[in-house]
């Protein structure tokens, strides 16, 4: 039920936004910062690659943007992002969104139903059920 808009520019340089989302930069406000960045870029269609736009979005959310951006430039935030990226590659991540539940990897928005089913304890879907959920192609009358 969330509104979805792509960022105004895509592709964009995500480095600062990614660093802002690290524990080293955001600390105890990590979930709030990530939520703010998500809303700015993927719900409002804002610019996730422009430091000034990120600063404004953080400020608008009531966060101390200057402090967060300073910490995002720290060696600790840079190293944390490197470690997270290396771990993702080791686990086989090749794109976003990628979600892990235990060792099971789900990739793509079309997998959210499967993630929801696993989280709610529903039995896994059989292949026939997955095929039934796929969009049907157009057919012509003869």
């Amino acid at each position: 039920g969330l509104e979805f808009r792509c960022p105004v520019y895509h592709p964009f340089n995500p480095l600062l936004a990614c660093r802002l989302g690290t524990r080293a930069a955001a600390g105890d406000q990590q979930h709030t910062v990530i939520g703010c960045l998500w809303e700015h870029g993927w719900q409002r269609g804002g610019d996730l690659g422009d430091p000034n736009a990120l600063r404004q979005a953080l400020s608008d959310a009531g966060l101390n943007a200057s402090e967060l951006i300073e910490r995002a430039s720290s060696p600790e935030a840079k190293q944390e992002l490197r470690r997270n990226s290396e771990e993702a590659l080791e686990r086989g991540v090749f794109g976003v969104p990628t979600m892990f539940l235990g060792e099971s990897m789900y990739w793509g928005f079309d997998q959210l139903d499967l993630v929801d089913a696993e989280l709610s304890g529903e039995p896994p879907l059989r292949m026939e059920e997955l095929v039934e959920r796929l969009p049907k192609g157009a057919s012509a009358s003869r």
Side-chain angles (χ1 to χ4, degrees):
L2 296 175
E3 189 168 337
F4 181 80
R5 290 190 195 138
C6 284
V8 65
Y9 300 109
H10 200 279
F12 57 90
N13 181 345
L15 196 54
L16 178 57
C18 288
R19 288 180 183 164
L20 283 164
T22 63
R23 175 68 66 179
D28 292 339
Q29 296 179 310
Q30 188 177 32
H31 289 275
T32 303
V33 170
I34 291 170
C36 169
L37 296 173
W38 168 264
E39 184 177 319
H40 170 70
W42 297 98
Q43 286 185 267
R44 294 185 180 160
D47 190 346
L48 286 168
D50 177 23
N52 291 326
L54 295 174
R55 178 182 302 278
Q56 187 64 53
L58 294 166
S59 293
D60 289 349
L63 297 163
N64 185 332
S66 295
E67 183 179 307
L68 287 165
I69 289 173
E70 183 178 327
R71 289 198 316 237
S73 300
S74 72
E76 294 81 14
K78 292 175 183 181
Q79 184 57 37
E80 183 179 339
L81 182 58
R82 273 189 216 103
R83 274 193 316 270
N84 291 347
S85 298
E86 289 166 4
E87 180 184 339
L89 290 172
E90 287 170 10
R91 291 188 78 182
V93 172
F94 56 90
V96 294
T98 298
M99 298 144 283
F100 285 94
L101 297 177
E103 292 302 312
S104 298
M105 181 174 74
Y106 299 88
W107 179 76
F109 287 108
D110 60 331
Q111 298 293 299
L112 290 176
D113 287 342
L114 298 176
V115 171
D116 186 48
E118 187 167 328
L119 287 172
S120 66
E122 293 178 25
L125 295 174
R126 295 187 329 263
M127 183 57 71
E128 296 82 27
E129 293 173 288
L130 290 173
V131 170
E132 287 175 20
R133 290 182 176 205
L134 292 173
K136 305 297 184 253
S139 61
S141 301
R142 291 184 188 225

